Amino acid sequence: MRSKAATSKASSAFSKQGKSAKGKEKEQAPEQLKVLQRAAESSHEDDNEELDDQEENEEATDEDEQEFEDVEEDDAVPVDQLSDAISVDEDAVAQQKVEIDNAIAMERIRETIRLDPSLPWTETLVVSYPETVDVDVDDDLNRELAFYKQALHCAKEAKTLAAKHNFPFTRPADYFAEMVKSDAHMERIRQRLLDESATIKRSDEKRKEREGKKFGKQVQMEKLRERERGKKEMEERLKGLKRKRKDALDDAQGNGEDFDVAVENAISDRPSKRGKTDGRGGKHTSRQQRDKKFGFGGPRKYSKQNDKSSTDNFQPRGGKPTRGGRGGARGGAKRPGKSRRVAARSRS
Amino acid sequence: MNDLEALLPHVKKDAKLDSKNHLNLLPELADLNNCNNALYFEARRHEDLYLWAAKTPNGPSIKMHVQNVHTMDELKMTGNCLKGSRGILSFDKAFDESEWGRLTKEVFTHIFGVPPQARKAKPFVDHVLTFSLLDNKIWFRNFQIVEKDPLQPNGPPQTSLVEIGPRFVLTPIRIFEGAFGGATVYSNPEFVSPAAVRSALNKERGNRYKSRKFQEEERTGRKDHRKLEEDQLAVSKVFA
């Protein structure tokens, strides 16, 4: 048996040799077919046993080729013709997978099985797409879109062809028959679609609600704060006004109108003029009060530090007494002990 | 693969063939059933599926590897069609560009094309079987032809498609001259058997393990090598 390497070379080099052999091949075709069929039968057993095993199968095929070398010229080219075509590198060729692309044989086979071209289109319903599907294989969306386009184009073309051949294409609306998928199955599909859309809707709603909540809370807080601020301001203004006008209200009723205007001014967001009130009464609050409120003058830096007197002074400083703790012990009588309390209760 | 049976009204299903090594029985079986085309699904190792598409009396036959199978039972495909209606066969142009493609197209036309006289066939056409050649693989899709837009029942007929399923991808492996056997006339050089892929993966994992172990060993060796021998004046000796 010839080495496998040589055969593989032969097949790869076939493309060069095959062109010249083509003419001869055509003439021999019918008898070649018969011989090949015989070959197929004779090699049937070993071929079948080892079909899954690529290498083994290769050998089997090679054997065929060797037996019918004179017939299958396209696959078996003498080694000495090859040596100039391809440099011999045993290892590299042995590694390479043997490729067989026997175009002539395939064409012959196709000729034998081909349907009669005179058959009307309605026999086969085959439509070819005039373009190749040329998209990225891993890009699922585009790939499916390409398939869809192909199918759509073919469907449209088939429809026109059907119209031409007077072939019923569209199913009439009143034609009912068994479908590929059962009604139960379609119902399940429909249910699933509905479920899906419901889920989407629900999640959408949920999201919107959540966002609204977040935002709404902010808005409400803002509003409350605004209202409070407004109220406080109003009170302050009124208070200030009252204090200033106290004497005026006491003695003279004639100034009532004036007061009303002032109140209105104070209440309205934009007091008409600060200077107006200033012109008569001077300042809103006394200097002292304002100093007290906002802090002016007096010691600031060491005001809370201990000094000579406060170091020894253990009296608590003024201010609110703290609840509980030690503070509690300070005020009032102590709670009597348990035994005393029990005794007191029994006495009464 | 009952799906294909449902789609093709002229199909006769036969029981499972118990032996994978006697494929030559298949033509006889087909002959018994008066069939001249055969599709034979061959499952191997419970995970690989091969499809033989053959013209039975005397060839040719195509062996293909089936991948990415989605059956009609899946709920994502919403189309439906008449059981037994004749589908349009659609091939893309790439089939005409190579010899094996032309042969495959011819064989598929024979097998998947429903003859008009088929007894169970319905007289209308409402689905398209799409075969596309992409990346040297044959992609199979099945679409329903919807002629009326369900949203506008009174509008002009607008053809659109809804997928029915099944869908799968076929990688051609070999084309044989005879039915289920015979001399090879085409073999796909790019095909790598799934077993080989798995074994390569396993091997790689094994290699990773091996290299890790080797590194561990080396590390311990280095550590031992670096250890200083005990000093004469070491604390434990002096104050023993």
Side-chain angles (χ1 to χ4, degrees), chain A residues 132-299:
Chain A
T132 54
V133 175
D134 192 18
V135 288
D136 186 13
V137 187
D138 300 320
D139 187 356
D140 283 3
L141 201 67
N142 273 337
R143 172 166 38 92
E144 295 304 321
L145 187 69
F147 293 154
Y148 182 89
K149 268 185 197 155
Q150 179 190 342
L152 190 64
H153 176 269
C154 288
K156 278 178 181 159
E157 200 169 297
K159 204 174 171 191
T160 53
L161 272 171
K164 207 163 73 184
H165 284 88
N166 216 356
F167 176 73
F169 188 86
T170 316
R171 175 166 65 123
D174 56 353
Y175 183 91
F176 293 108
E178 193 187 356
M179 305 291 270
V180 166
K181 294 177 182 173
S182 63
D183 283 352
H185 187 76
M186 288 313 282
E187 182 58 31
R188 267 175 64 209
I189 290 177
R190 207 178 58 87
Q191 196 57 46
R192 188 195 146 99
L193 279 180
L194 284 180
D195 282 355
E196 235 165 45
S197 62
T199 320
I200 289 173
K201 209 193 240 171
R202 204 164 45 225
S203 70
D204 229 30
E205 237 163 48
K206 263 266 162 58
R207 206 187 46 229
K208 215 177 268 175
E209 200 174 273
R210 215 175 312 131
E211 249 162 40
K213 216 181 206 172
K214 216 175 4 177
F215 196 63
K217 220 176 207 171
Q218 252 176 7
V219 166
Q220 200 169 2
M221 290 275 278
E222 197 71 22
K223 216 184 259 172
L224 275 178
R225 218 173 291 151
E226 184 76 24
R227 206 176 291 163
E228 201 136 300
R229 203 184 302 136
K231 204 169 164 188
K232 216 184 238 170
E233 222 165 73
M234 181 85 71
E235 266 173 14
E236 200 117 301
R237 272 183 221 156
L238 269 178
K239 222 188 265 172
L241 211 57
K242 266 182 196 162
R243 199 171 28 245
K244 224 183 298 156
R245 294 280 175 155
K246 207 169 186 179
D247 36 24
L249 276 174
D250 277 344
D251 50 24
Q253 295 295 318
N255 286 355
E257 232 168 274
D258 259 4
F259 179 71
D260 283 347
V261 171
V263 165
E264 236 150 69
N265 273 344
I267 284 173
S268 70
D269 267 349
R270 204 158 44 90
S272 56
K273 202 119 260 173
R274 217 63 209 243
K276 238 184 194 171
T277 45
D278 270 358
R280 201 168 304 134
K283 284 163 187 174
H284 269 261
T285 44
S286 69
R287 181 73 254 169
Q288 256 181 348
Q289 212 157 9
R290 274 192 294 171
D291 282 349
K292 198 178 131 204
K293 188 171 183 187
F294 302 113
F296 179 74

Side-chain angles (χ1 to χ4, degrees), chain B residues 23-49:
Chain B
L23 291 176
N24 50 349
L25 292 177
L26 280 171
E28 286 176 33
L29 207 60
D31 195 35
L32 281 179
N33 282 321
N34 287 332
C35 295
N36 47 11
N37 300 303
L39 282 175
Y40 171 53
F41 288 94
E42 183 180 356
R44 295 208 170 195
R45 299 190 192 87
H46 300 291
E47 43 193 340
D48 306 329
L49 184 68

